[in-house]
Amino acid sequence: MKAARKILRLALVLIATALVTGVAQAEVSKVRISRQYGLPYLPMIVIEDQHLLEKNAKAAGIEVETEWSQRAGPAADLDALLAGQADFIGPGIPTLATVWDKTVGTAQEARALIAMQSMPYVLVTRNPAVKTIADFTEKDKIALPAVKLTGHAIALEMEAARIWGQDHYDKLDSITITRSHADAAAALITGKSEINSHFASAPFYHYELATPGIHQVLKSYDTLGGMHTNGVLLTTRKFHDANPKLCAAMVASFEEADAFIKAHPREAAQTYLKVVRDKTSLDDLEKMVADPDVEYTTTPVNVMKIVDFMHEVGRIKKKPASWKDLFFPEAHGLNGS
């Protein structure tokens, strides 16, 4: 009798353990993805429109529902990720380096799963006196997505360091102002604002440069000596480790979206216009998507040039040994830099 009760208790423990283990290993049934505005997010837009994540997740043996959202800016996206209100966000390298520096080794550790694209930031102005950044004065205002945080802000500081020396890398920070790309472009194009310059991503700098009286001052590719990653897909270690099949499906979805954009730039442009409800002509947007300055790729490019600069000027305390420290293993087989 005692033996029977003992066996029963053991069976109940094994069943309970199996149930707990099953719950622990279950992947999420809904994934929350937050994106910002502009062509850097075209792969996300294609994934959303073609339901690629749902398809690739199903192929991996899981059913998942996707929830897409847009927040006020990179800082709001980061807050949502760390608060558990978003599972994936798409910020630039400086945001990745900043959050990695603050969270690595903690319960909130965040890293990038993959890169989302290589794409320049272009600084434009309607001030005819400004030919290089050395011509800016305190009378100018440069809009960018987030002061001191985004790739646009760091590229401006890197160029300032190149011109005036490392000790003066932040010389122009006082004339930068946080605005969304859409709001900054509207202010610059109408000329009805204190904002007379904008460090922009596509398609916004294309719109601005098509406006009489606006000209280009700087392209970030010139500052960094070549192409660089514009945005990455960021998530937390907690989410990553609990959802390996979903993360693999996400990588596959980006690779599929990138291949679609490369092979069908016109159809990709049409998808962007439909989802974003942009009124740009299809012909013009197709040219932007197929711009040789742009490569939709999951491979990180020139990441460490940006991160090393941030460490040198004290923006981050910890220095990663390589770009791989900032990325989860899914990206480690790529030819990154």
Side-chain angles (χ1 to χ4, degrees), residues 68-133:
W68 298 87
S69 62
Q70 286 181 314
R71 290 180 169 82
D77 270 349
L78 186 55
D79 288 344
L81 180 76
L82 297 179
Q85 297 166 355
D87 302 314
F88 290 101
I89 62 173
I93 296 302
T95 301
L96 165 61
T98 300
V99 70
W100 175 86
D101 182 50
K102 294 182 183 299
T103 65
V104 64
T106 74
Q108 284 190 310
E109 182 175 334
R111 299 189 183 206
L113 188 65
I114 47 172
M116 295 205 304
Q117 77 304 96
S118 290
M119 185 179 288
Y121 318 121
V122 177
L123 176 59
V124 301
T125 186
R126 55 180 162 82
N127 184 346
V130 175
K131 307 302 180 187
T132 75
I133 69 164

Short mmCIF file of all heavy atoms in Angstrom, two decimals, residues 68-133:
data_model
loop_
_atom_site.label_atom_id
_atom_site.label_comp_id
_atom_site.label_asym_id
_atom_site.label_seq_id
_atom_site.Cartn_x
_atom_site.Cartn_y
_atom_site.Cartn_z
N TRP A 68 1.26 44.95 -34.96
CA TRP A 68 2.16 46.01 -35.43
C TRP A 68 1.73 47.35 -34.85
O TRP A 68 0.54 47.65 -34.79
CB TRP A 68 2.15 46.08 -36.95
CG TRP A 68 2.65 44.82 -37.60
CD1 TRP A 68 1.92 43.71 -37.92
CD2 TRP A 68 4.00 44.53 -37.98
NE1 TRP A 68 2.72 42.76 -38.49
CE2 TRP A 68 4.00 43.23 -38.55
CE3 TRP A 68 5.19 45.26 -37.92
CZ2 TRP A 68 5.17 42.64 -39.03
CZ3 TRP A 68 6.34 44.67 -38.41
CH2 TRP A 68 6.33 43.37 -38.96
N SER A 69 2.71 48.15 -34.45
CA SER A 69 2.38 49.47 -33.88
C SER A 69 3.45 50.48 -34.27
O SER A 69 4.56 50.12 -34.69
CB SER A 69 2.26 49.38 -32.36
OG SER A 69 3.50 48.97 -31.79
N GLN A 70 3.10 51.75 -34.11
CA GLN A 70 4.04 52.86 -34.33
C GLN A 70 3.97 53.78 -33.12
O GLN A 70 2.88 54.24 -32.75
CB GLN A 70 3.70 53.63 -35.60
CG GLN A 70 4.08 52.89 -36.87
CD GLN A 70 3.74 53.70 -38.12
OE1 GLN A 70 2.67 54.27 -38.23
NE2 GLN A 70 4.67 53.76 -39.04
N ARG A 71 5.12 54.04 -32.51
CA ARG A 71 5.16 54.93 -31.36
C ARG A 71 5.77 56.25 -31.76
O ARG A 71 6.19 56.45 -32.90
CB ARG A 71 5.93 54.26 -30.22
CG ARG A 71 5.16 53.09 -29.61
CD ARG A 71 5.90 52.41 -28.48
NE ARG A 71 5.02 51.49 -27.76
CZ ARG A 71 4.76 50.25 -28.17
NH1 ARG A 71 5.32 49.78 -29.28
NH2 ARG A 71 3.94 49.48 -27.48
N ALA A 72 5.87 57.16 -30.79
CA ALA A 72 6.27 58.54 -31.08
C ALA A 72 7.71 58.67 -31.57
O ALA A 72 8.04 59.62 -32.26
CB ALA A 72 6.07 59.40 -29.84
N GLY A 73 8.59 57.75 -31.22
CA GLY A 73 9.98 57.86 -31.64
C GLY A 73 10.83 56.76 -31.05
O GLY A 73 10.33 55.88 -30.34
N PRO A 74 12.14 56.78 -31.33
CA PRO A 74 13.03 55.72 -30.84
C PRO A 74 13.02 55.57 -29.31
O PRO A 74 13.08 54.45 -28.81
CB PRO A 74 14.41 56.18 -31.34
CG PRO A 74 14.13 57.08 -32.49
CD PRO A 74 12.85 57.76 -32.17
N ALA A 75 12.96 56.68 -28.59
CA ALA A 75 12.95 56.60 -27.12
C ALA A 75 11.70 55.89 -26.62
O ALA A 75 11.76 55.07 -25.69
CB ALA A 75 13.05 58.00 -26.52
N ALA A 76 10.55 56.18 -27.24
CA ALA A 76 9.30 55.52 -26.85
C ALA A 76 9.35 54.03 -27.17
O ALA A 76 8.85 53.20 -26.40
CB ALA A 76 8.12 56.18 -27.56
N ASP A 77 9.94 53.69 -28.30
CA ASP A 77 10.10 52.28 -28.66
C ASP A 77 10.95 51.55 -27.62
O ASP A 77 10.62 50.44 -27.18
CB ASP A 77 10.78 52.16 -30.03
CG ASP A 77 9.78 52.13 -31.17
OD1 ASP A 77 8.58 52.00 -30.91
OD2 ASP A 77 10.22 52.25 -32.33
N LEU A 78 12.05 52.17 -27.23
CA LEU A 78 12.96 51.55 -26.27
C LEU A 78 12.29 51.37 -24.91
O LEU A 78 12.41 50.32 -24.27
CB LEU A 78 14.23 52.39 -26.13
CG LEU A 78 15.35 51.80 -25.26
CD1 LEU A 78 15.75 50.42 -25.76
CD2 LEU A 78 16.55 52.74 -25.26
N ASP A 79 11.55 52.38 -24.48
CA ASP A 79 10.80 52.28 -23.22
C ASP A 79 9.81 51.11 -23.27
O ASP A 79 9.67 50.36 -22.30
CB ASP A 79 10.05 53.57 -22.94
CG ASP A 79 10.97 54.72 -22.54
OD1 ASP A 79 12.13 54.44 -22.18
OD2 ASP A 79 10.53 55.88 -22.59
N ALA A 80 9.14 50.96 -24.42
CA ALA A 80 8.16 49.89 -24.57
C ALA A 80 8.82 48.52 -24.52
O ALA A 80 8.31 47.58 -23.90
CB ALA A 80 7.39 50.06 -25.89
N LEU A 81 9.98 48.40 -25.16
CA LEU A 81 10.71 47.12 -25.15
C LEU A 81 11.10 46.73 -23.72
O LEU A 81 10.86 45.61 -23.27
CB LEU A 81 11.95 47.21 -26.03
CG LEU A 81 12.79 45.93 -26.11
CD1 LEU A 81 12.12 44.90 -27.00
CD2 LEU A 81 14.20 46.23 -26.62
N LEU A 82 11.72 47.68 -23.01
CA LEU A 82 12.21 47.39 -21.67
C LEU A 82 11.08 47.19 -20.66
O LEU A 82 11.25 46.54 -19.64
CB LEU A 82 13.16 48.49 -21.21
CG LEU A 82 14.44 48.64 -22.04
CD1 LEU A 82 15.30 49.78 -21.52
CD2 LEU A 82 15.23 47.34 -22.08
N ALA A 83 9.90 47.76 -20.96
CA ALA A 83 8.74 47.60 -20.08
C ALA A 83 7.93 46.35 -20.42
O ALA A 83 6.92 46.07 -19.78
CB ALA A 83 7.84 48.83 -20.17
N GLY A 84 8.37 45.61 -21.44
CA GLY A 84 7.65 44.41 -21.83
C GLY A 84 6.40 44.67 -22.63
O GLY A 84 5.53 43.81 -22.75
N GLN A 85 6.29 45.87 -23.22
CA GLN A 85 5.12 46.23 -24.01
C GLN A 85 5.34 46.03 -25.51
O GLN A 85 4.42 46.18 -26.31
CB GLN A 85 4.74 47.69 -23.73
CG GLN A 85 4.33 47.93 -22.29
CD GLN A 85 4.27 49.40 -21.93
OE1 GLN A 85 4.62 50.26 -22.74
NE2 GLN A 85 3.85 49.68 -20.72
N ALA A 86 6.57 45.73 -25.90
CA ALA A 86 6.91 45.41 -27.29
C ALA A 86 7.94 44.30 -27.25
O ALA A 86 8.77 44.22 -26.34
CB ALA A 86 7.45 46.63 -28.01
N ASP A 87 7.91 43.43 -28.26
CA ASP A 87 8.86 42.31 -28.33
C ASP A 87 10.03 42.60 -29.26
O ASP A 87 11.14 42.13 -29.03
CB ASP A 87 8.14 41.04 -28.79
CG ASP A 87 6.99 40.67 -27.88
OD1 ASP A 87 7.18 40.70 -26.65
OD2 ASP A 87 5.89 40.38 -28.40
N PHE A 88 9.78 43.36 -30.31
CA PHE A 88 10.82 43.75 -31.26
C PHE A 88 10.67 45.23 -31.61
O PHE A 88 9.55 45.71 -31.82
CB PHE A 88 10.74 42.95 -32.56
CG PHE A 88 11.11 41.50 -32.43
CD1 PHE A 88 10.12 40.52 -32.34
CD2 PHE A 88 12.44 41.10 -32.41
CE1 PHE A 88 10.46 39.18 -32.23
CE2 PHE A 88 12.79 39.76 -32.30
CZ PHE A 88 11.79 38.80 -32.20
N ILE A 89 11.79 45.93 -31.69
CA ILE A 89 11.79 47.31 -32.19
C ILE A 89 12.93 47.44 -33.21
O ILE A 89 13.79 46.56 -33.29
CB ILE A 89 11.96 48.36 -31.05
CG1 ILE A 89 13.30 48.17 -30.32
CG2 ILE A 89 10.79 48.25 -30.07
CD1 ILE A 89 13.59 49.27 -29.31
N GLY A 90 12.95 48.54 -33.95
CA GLY A 90 13.93 48.69 -35.03
C GLY A 90 14.75 49.95 -34.96
O GLY A 90 14.73 50.75 -35.90
N PRO A 91 15.53 50.16 -33.89
CA PRO A 91 16.30 51.41 -33.76
C PRO A 91 17.64 51.35 -34.50
O PRO A 91 17.97 50.35 -35.15
CB PRO A 91 16.53 51.48 -32.25
CG PRO A 91 16.70 50.04 -31.86
CD PRO A 91 15.72 49.28 -32.73
N GLY A 92 18.43 52.43 -34.36
CA GLY A 92 19.74 52.50 -34.96
C GLY A 92 20.82 51.93 -34.05
O GLY A 92 20.56 51.53 -32.91
N ILE A 93 22.05 51.94 -34.57
CA ILE A 93 23.19 51.39 -33.83
C ILE A 93 23.43 52.11 -32.50
O ILE A 93 23.69 51.45 -31.48
CB ILE A 93 24.46 51.44 -34.70
CG1 ILE A 93 24.29 50.53 -35.92
CG2 ILE A 93 25.69 51.01 -33.90
CD1 ILE A 93 24.01 49.09 -35.59
N PRO A 94 23.35 53.45 -32.42
CA PRO A 94 23.58 54.10 -31.13
C PRO A 94 22.60 53.66 -30.05
O PRO A 94 22.98 53.50 -28.88
CB PRO A 94 23.43 55.58 -31.46
CG PRO A 94 23.84 55.68 -32.88
CD PRO A 94 23.26 54.45 -33.52
N THR A 95 21.33 53.46 -30.41
CA THR A 95 20.36 52.97 -29.43
C THR A 95 20.72 51.56 -28.99
O THR A 95 20.67 51.22 -27.80
CB THR A 95 18.94 53.00 -30.01
OG1 THR A 95 18.61 54.34 -30.39
CG2 THR A 95 17.92 52.51 -28.99
N LEU A 96 21.12 50.73 -29.95
CA LEU A 96 21.56 49.37 -29.62
C LEU A 96 22.73 49.41 -28.65
O LEU A 96 22.74 48.71 -27.63
CB LEU A 96 21.96 48.63 -30.90
CG LEU A 96 22.77 47.34 -30.73
CD1 LEU A 96 21.99 46.30 -29.94
CD2 LEU A 96 23.21 46.80 -32.09
N ALA A 97 23.76 50.22 -28.96
CA ALA A 97 24.95 50.29 -28.10
C ALA A 97 24.60 50.82 -26.72
O ALA A 97 25.11 50.32 -25.70
CB ALA A 97 26.00 51.19 -28.75
N THR A 98 23.71 51.80 -26.67
CA THR A 98 23.32 52.41 -25.39
C THR A 98 22.58 51.42 -24.50
O THR A 98 22.89 51.28 -23.31
CB THR A 98 22.44 53.65 -25.63
OG1 THR A 98 23.18 54.61 -26.40
CG2 THR A 98 22.03 54.28 -24.31
N VAL A 99 21.61 50.70 -25.08
CA VAL A 99 20.83 49.77 -24.27
C VAL A 99 21.67 48.55 -23.91
O VAL A 99 21.54 48.00 -22.81
CB VAL A 99 19.51 49.39 -24.98
CG1 VAL A 99 19.75 48.51 -26.20
CG2 VAL A 99 18.55 48.70 -24.01
N TRP A 100 22.55 48.11 -24.80
CA TRP A 100 23.45 46.99 -24.47
C TRP A 100 24.36 47.37 -23.31
O TRP A 100 24.53 46.60 -22.36
CB TRP A 100 24.27 46.62 -25.70
CG TRP A 100 25.31 45.57 -25.43
CD1 TRP A 100 25.13 44.21 -25.46
CD2 TRP A 100 26.68 45.77 -25.06
NE1 TRP A 100 26.31 43.56 -25.15
CE2 TRP A 100 27.28 44.50 -24.90
CE3 TRP A 100 27.47 46.91 -24.87
CZ2 TRP A 100 28.62 44.33 -24.54
CZ3 TRP A 100 28.81 46.75 -24.51
CH2 TRP A 100 29.37 45.48 -24.35
N ASP A 101 24.89 48.57 -23.36
CA ASP A 101 25.80 49.05 -22.31
C ASP A 101 25.11 49.06 -20.95
O ASP A 101 25.72 48.73 -19.93
CB ASP A 101 26.28 50.46 -22.68
CG ASP A 101 27.26 51.04 -21.68
OD1 ASP A 101 28.24 50.35 -21.33
OD2 ASP A 101 27.04 52.18 -21.23
N LYS A 102 23.85 49.43 -20.94
CA LYS A 102 23.12 49.56 -19.67
C LYS A 102 22.52 48.25 -19.17
O LYS A 102 22.22 48.11 -17.98
CB LYS A 102 22.01 50.60 -19.82
CG LYS A 102 22.51 52.02 -20.05
CD LYS A 102 21.36 52.99 -20.15
CE LYS A 102 21.84 54.41 -20.45
NZ LYS A 102 22.73 54.92 -19.39
N THR A 103 22.32 47.27 -20.07
CA THR A 103 21.58 46.08 -19.67
C THR A 103 22.37 44.77 -19.73
O THR A 103 21.91 43.77 -19.18
CB THR A 103 20.32 45.90 -20.55
OG1 THR A 103 20.72 45.65 -21.91
CG2 THR A 103 19.42 47.12 -20.48
N VAL A 104 23.52 44.76 -20.39
CA VAL A 104 24.24 43.49 -20.57
C VAL A 104 24.53 42.85 -19.22
O VAL A 104 24.98 43.51 -18.27
CB VAL A 104 25.55 43.70 -21.38
CG1 VAL A 104 26.54 44.58 -20.64
CG2 VAL A 104 26.19 42.36 -21.73
N GLY A 105 24.22 41.57 -19.11
CA GLY A 105 24.43 40.85 -17.87
C GLY A 105 23.32 40.99 -16.86
O GLY A 105 23.38 40.41 -15.76
N THR A 106 22.25 41.75 -17.20
CA THR A 106 21.12 41.94 -16.29
C THR A 106 19.90 41.20 -16.82
O THR A 106 19.91 40.67 -17.93
CB THR A 106 20.76 43.43 -16.13
OG1 THR A 106 20.10 43.88 -17.34
CG2 THR A 106 22.00 44.27 -15.89
N ALA A 107 18.85 41.22 -16.02
CA ALA A 107 17.60 40.55 -16.43
C ALA A 107 16.97 41.22 -17.65
O ALA A 107 16.19 40.60 -18.37
CB ALA A 107 16.61 40.55 -15.27
N GLN A 108 17.30 42.49 -17.88
CA GLN A 108 16.71 43.23 -19.01
C GLN A 108 17.63 43.27 -20.22
O GLN A 108 17.39 44.06 -21.15
CB GLN A 108 16.38 44.66 -18.59
CG GLN A 108 15.14 44.80 -17.72
CD GLN A 108 14.74 46.24 -17.55
OE1 GLN A 108 15.55 47.09 -17.21
NE2 GLN A 108 13.47 46.54 -17.80
N GLU A 109 18.65 42.46 -20.27
CA GLU A 109 19.64 42.53 -21.36
C GLU A 109 18.96 42.51 -22.73
O GLU A 109 18.07 41.72 -23.00
CB GLU A 109 20.61 41.36 -21.27
CG GLU A 109 21.68 41.41 -22.36
CD GLU A 109 22.72 40.31 -22.21
OE1 GLU A 109 22.94 39.83 -21.08
OE2 GLU A 109 23.32 39.94 -23.23
N ALA A 110 19.41 43.43 -23.59
CA ALA A 110 18.86 43.53 -24.94
C ALA A 110 20.00 43.52 -25.95
O ALA A 110 21.07 44.09 -25.71
CB ALA A 110 18.04 44.81 -25.08
N ARG A 111 19.76 42.87 -27.06
CA ARG A 111 20.72 42.82 -28.16
C ARG A 111 19.94 42.83 -29.48
O ARG A 111 18.72 42.74 -29.49
CB ARG A 111 21.58 41.55 -28.09
CG ARG A 111 22.42 41.43 -26.83
CD ARG A 111 23.40 40.29 -26.93
NE ARG A 111 24.16 40.13 -25.67
CZ ARG A 111 25.36 39.59 -25.59
NH1 ARG A 111 25.96 39.15 -26.68
NH2 ARG A 111 25.96 39.48 -24.42
N ALA A 112 20.68 42.92 -30.56
CA ALA A 112 20.05 42.86 -31.88
C ALA A 112 19.98 41.42 -32.35
O ALA A 112 20.89 40.62 -32.10
CB ALA A 112 20.84 43.70 -32.87
N LEU A 113 18.91 41.09 -33.04
CA LEU A 113 18.78 39.77 -33.66
C LEU A 113 19.52 39.77 -35.00
O LEU A 113 20.30 38.85 -35.29
CB LEU A 113 17.31 39.43 -33.85
CG LEU A 113 16.99 38.00 -34.31
CD1 LEU A 113 17.38 36.99 -33.24
CD2 LEU A 113 15.50 37.87 -34.64
N ILE A 114 19.29 40.82 -35.80
CA ILE A 114 19.91 40.98 -37.12
C ILE A 114 19.92 42.48 -37.44
O ILE A 114 19.30 43.28 -36.75
CB ILE A 114 19.10 40.26 -38.23
CG1 ILE A 114 17.60 40.59 -38.10
CG2 ILE A 114 19.36 38.76 -38.23
CD1 ILE A 114 16.74 40.10 -39.22
N ALA A 115 20.64 42.84 -38.50
CA ALA A 115 20.51 44.18 -39.06
C ALA A 115 19.27 44.22 -39.95
O ALA A 115 18.77 43.17 -40.39
CB ALA A 115 21.75 44.53 -39.88
N MET A 116 18.75 45.42 -40.20
CA MET A 116 17.57 45.54 -41.06
C MET A 116 17.89 46.10 -42.44
O MET A 116 17.15 45.86 -43.39
CB MET A 116 16.51 46.43 -40.40
CG MET A 116 15.94 45.86 -39.12
SD MET A 116 14.29 46.47 -38.73
CE MET A 116 14.55 48.24 -38.70
N GLN A 117 19.00 46.86 -42.56
CA GLN A 117 19.37 47.43 -43.85
C GLN A 117 20.65 48.25 -43.70
O GLN A 117 21.07 48.55 -42.59
CB GLN A 117 18.25 48.29 -44.44
CG GLN A 117 18.02 49.68 -43.88
CD GLN A 117 17.77 49.77 -42.42
OE1 GLN A 117 18.70 50.01 -41.67
NE2 GLN A 117 16.54 49.59 -41.97
N SER A 118 21.26 48.59 -44.84
CA SER A 118 22.30 49.62 -44.88
C SER A 118 21.72 50.78 -45.67
O SER A 118 21.21 50.60 -46.77
CB SER A 118 23.57 49.11 -45.57
OG SER A 118 24.22 48.14 -44.78
N MET A 119 21.80 51.98 -45.09
CA MET A 119 21.14 53.14 -45.68
C MET A 119 21.74 54.40 -45.06
O MET A 119 22.01 54.43 -43.86
CB MET A 119 19.64 53.06 -45.38
CG MET A 119 18.78 54.13 -46.01
SD MET A 119 17.02 53.88 -45.58
CE MET A 119 16.63 52.45 -46.58
N PRO A 120 21.98 55.45 -45.86
CA PRO A 120 22.61 56.65 -45.30
C PRO A 120 21.63 57.55 -44.58
O PRO A 120 20.42 57.48 -44.78
CB PRO A 120 23.16 57.36 -46.54
CG PRO A 120 22.19 57.00 -47.62
CD PRO A 120 21.77 55.57 -47.31
N TYR A 121 22.19 58.41 -43.72
CA TYR A 121 21.48 59.58 -43.21
C TYR A 121 21.99 60.76 -44.04
O TYR A 121 23.19 60.86 -44.29
CB TYR A 121 21.78 59.84 -41.74
CG TYR A 121 21.83 58.62 -40.86
CD1 TYR A 121 22.99 58.30 -40.15
CD2 TYR A 121 20.71 57.80 -40.71
CE1 TYR A 121 23.04 57.18 -39.33
CE2 TYR A 121 20.76 56.68 -39.90
CZ TYR A 121 21.92 56.38 -39.20
OH TYR A 121 21.98 55.28 -38.39
N VAL A 122 21.10 61.64 -44.45
CA VAL A 122 21.49 62.78 -45.28
C VAL A 122 21.06 64.07 -44.59
O VAL A 122 19.89 64.25 -44.27
CB VAL A 122 20.88 62.69 -46.70
CG1 VAL A 122 21.25 63.92 -47.52
CG2 VAL A 122 21.38 61.42 -47.40
N LEU A 123 22.04 64.95 -44.37
CA LEU A 123 21.78 66.24 -43.74
C LEU A 123 21.50 67.27 -44.82
O LEU A 123 22.32 67.48 -45.72
CB LEU A 123 22.99 66.67 -42.91
CG LEU A 123 22.94 68.06 -42.25
CD1 LEU A 123 21.76 68.18 -41.30
CD2 LEU A 123 24.26 68.33 -41.51
N VAL A 124 20.32 67.89 -44.76
CA VAL A 124 19.93 68.90 -45.75
C VAL A 124 19.58 70.20 -45.02
O VAL A 124 19.27 70.20 -43.82
CB VAL A 124 18.72 68.42 -46.59
CG1 VAL A 124 19.05 67.13 -47.32
CG2 VAL A 124 17.48 68.23 -45.72
N THR A 125 19.61 71.31 -45.78
CA THR A 125 19.30 72.61 -45.18
C THR A 125 18.69 73.54 -46.22
O THR A 125 18.88 73.35 -47.42
CB THR A 125 20.58 73.26 -44.61
OG1 THR A 125 20.23 74.46 -43.92
CG2 THR A 125 21.58 73.60 -45.70
N ARG A 126 17.97 74.54 -45.73
CA ARG A 126 17.51 75.60 -46.62
C ARG A 126 18.28 76.89 -46.38
O ARG A 126 17.92 77.94 -46.91
CB ARG A 126 16.01 75.83 -46.50
CG ARG A 126 15.47 76.10 -45.12
CD ARG A 126 13.94 76.30 -45.19
NE ARG A 126 13.29 76.17 -43.91
CZ ARG A 126 13.21 77.13 -43.00
NH1 ARG A 126 13.76 78.31 -43.22
NH2 ARG A 126 12.58 76.91 -41.85
N ASN A 127 19.34 76.82 -45.57
CA ASN A 127 20.22 77.97 -45.34
C ASN A 127 21.28 78.00 -46.44
O ASN A 127 22.18 77.15 -46.46
CB ASN A 127 20.88 77.86 -43.97
CG ASN A 127 21.73 79.08 -43.64
OD1 ASN A 127 22.06 79.90 -44.51
ND2 ASN A 127 22.12 79.21 -42.38
N PRO A 128 21.22 78.95 -47.36
CA PRO A 128 22.16 78.95 -48.49
C PRO A 128 23.61 79.17 -48.07
O PRO A 128 24.53 78.85 -48.82
CB PRO A 128 21.66 80.12 -49.36
CG PRO A 128 20.90 81.00 -48.43
CD PRO A 128 20.28 80.08 -47.42
N ALA A 129 23.84 79.69 -46.86
CA ALA A 129 25.20 79.95 -46.40
C ALA A 129 25.90 78.69 -45.90
O ALA A 129 27.12 78.68 -45.71
CB ALA A 129 25.18 80.99 -45.28
N VAL A 130 25.15 77.61 -45.70
CA VAL A 130 25.72 76.39 -45.13
C VAL A 130 26.14 75.44 -46.25
O VAL A 130 25.30 74.88 -46.95
CB VAL A 130 24.73 75.69 -44.18
CG1 VAL A 130 25.29 74.36 -43.72
CG2 VAL A 130 24.40 76.58 -43.00
N LYS A 131 27.44 75.27 -46.38
CA LYS A 131 27.99 74.34 -47.37
C LYS A 131 28.53 73.08 -46.69
O LYS A 131 28.47 71.99 -47.25
CB LYS A 131 29.11 75.01 -48.18
CG LYS A 131 28.72 76.34 -48.82
CD LYS A 131 27.53 76.19 -49.76
CE LYS A 131 27.16 77.53 -50.39
NZ LYS A 131 25.91 77.44 -51.19
N THR A 132 29.10 73.26 -45.50
CA THR A 132 29.55 72.13 -44.67
C THR A 132 29.03 72.38 -43.25
O THR A 132 28.53 73.48 -42.95
CB THR A 132 31.08 72.02 -44.63
OG1 THR A 132 31.62 73.05 -43.79
CG2 THR A 132 31.68 72.13 -46.03
N ILE A 133 29.18 71.42 -42.36
CA ILE A 133 28.67 71.62 -41.01
C ILE A 133 29.42 72.73 -40.28
O ILE A 133 28.92 73.27 -39.29
CB ILE A 133 28.69 70.33 -40.18
CG1 ILE A 133 30.12 69.88 -39.84
CG2 ILE A 133 27.92 69.22 -40.87
CD1 ILE A 133 30.18 68.86 -38.72
#
